[in-house]
Amino acid sequence: MRKIIFVTGNPHKVKEATDIMSPLGIKIEQNNCGYPELQEDTLEAIAGFGARWAANKLNCEVMVDDSGIFIDALSGFPGPYSAYVARTIGNRRILKLLDGEMNRRAVLKCAIGYCRPGEEPVVFSGEVEGKIAEDIRGKLGFGYDPIFEVGGLTFGEMADEEKNRLSHRYMALAEFSLWLKEPDRIKNQQL
Ligand code: ITT
């Protein structure tokens, strides 16, 4: 089985990536060394930079995952600042910001960066469209899951398997897994 080091401090991401990639013959191993997060406008730029930095630091092939929630009524905010906003204001106050707002459309996005030491990173993107729920609902998942609704349920109300069939992370990891198997056939975003 091919093994890839996943540089992240978030064990939920590791669990989801393992559930999605192990049936495809790819084993994930977490490394918590972190990487500098650029103040950039796109998740792809952050993921590409992080993957290159971590591959050179650890001297092995690595993947990283930069994700975020883009809320229409807030002009796409918090987007690449989603981790900071989750740490500071959190889900309850995001719902407050959207009080009375009719347009509740939001998109969860994921950029998977992959790099080998001394090489250029490649990046795979995935997204899922949904809406911001009126209330916090569900205890499953993590982060924005209890306020992000797809087809009537929040991700916080969905079993892992259900989220992993629909999610932004699944979309990006499916492309990445295909590319790992057939690098010449699958297009990716070279930074
Ligand atoms: P690493 O950077 O160490 O990988 P992180 O949790 O800081 O971990 P991100 O910057 O990618 O990761 O995450 C941005 C925020 O979005 C953070 O608050 C996450 O909890 C949240 N998030 C990421 N993936 C999510 C998902 O699948 N569902 C809901 N929220 C998610």
Side-chain angles (χ1 to χ4, degrees):
M1 217 183 198
R2 179 153 182 190
K3 186 179 85 179
I4 298 193
I5 304 292
F6 186 2
V7 177
T8 176
N10 186 329
H12 301 281
K13 289 183 178 177
V14 178
K15 163 91 170 70
E16 290 185 6
T18 301
D19 289 348
I20 292 166
M21 294 178 82
S22 64
L24 303 171
I26 300 156
K27 185 172 163 23
I28 298 297
E29 192 175 295
Q30 181 178 11
N31 182 296
N32 205 349
C33 75
Y35 55 88
E37 286 211 11
L38 289 183
Q39 293 289 296
E40 278 278 354
D41 288 344
T42 70
L43 304 180
E44 283 77 12
I46 297 167
F49 176 87
R52 189 205 317 253
W53 188 93
N56 290 332
K57 178 175 163 76
L58 299 175
N59 201 27
C60 65
E61 59 176 353
V62 302
M63 61 183 271
V64 305
D65 167 326
D66 197 51
S67 295
I69 192 162
F70 295 71
I71 301 174
D72 269 22
L74 304 178
S75 308
F77 187 78
Y81 307 103
S82 293
Y84 179 72
V85 166
R87 272 199 307 276
T88 51
I89 70 171
N91 286 340
R92 200 165 296 282
R93 275 151 74 196
I94 291 180
L95 293 188
K96 267 227 152 65
L97 282 177
L98 294 185
D99 234 3
E101 177 61 57
M102 296 303 285
N103 175 12
R104 305 196 69 91
R105 184 181 176 276
V107 181
L108 265 177
K109 298 188 186 182
C110 172
I112 298 292
Y114 167 84
C115 198
R116 297 188 190 99
E119 294 189 9
E120 288 300 305
V122 289
V123 178
F124 302 85
S125 308
E127 59 180 61
V128 55
E129 200 180 312
K131 57 184 197 178
I132 302 296
E134 297 284 346
D135 303 296
I136 293 179
R137 298 197 331 256
K139 295 204 176 327
L140 304 171
F142 67 99
Y144 295 100
D145 284 345
I147 61 165
F148 185 76
E149 195 178 307
V150 179
L153 288 183
T154 67
F155 274 177
E157 294 173 312
M158 285 185 197
D160 291 357
E161 308 82 68
E162 205 174 342
K163 178 183 174 188
N164 287 343
R165 267 198 301 273
L166 298 171
S167 79
H168 53 318
R169 182 158 296 106
Y170 168 75
M171 302 295 167
L173 289 175
E175 282 290 298
F176 174 44
S177 304
L178 279 176
W179 177 82
L180 281 173
K181 291 192 174 196
E182 296 184 71
D184 296 333
R185 275 193 47 202
I186 312 295
K187 275 180 66 189
N188 65 87
Q189 187 179 341
Q190 191 104 28
L191 294 174

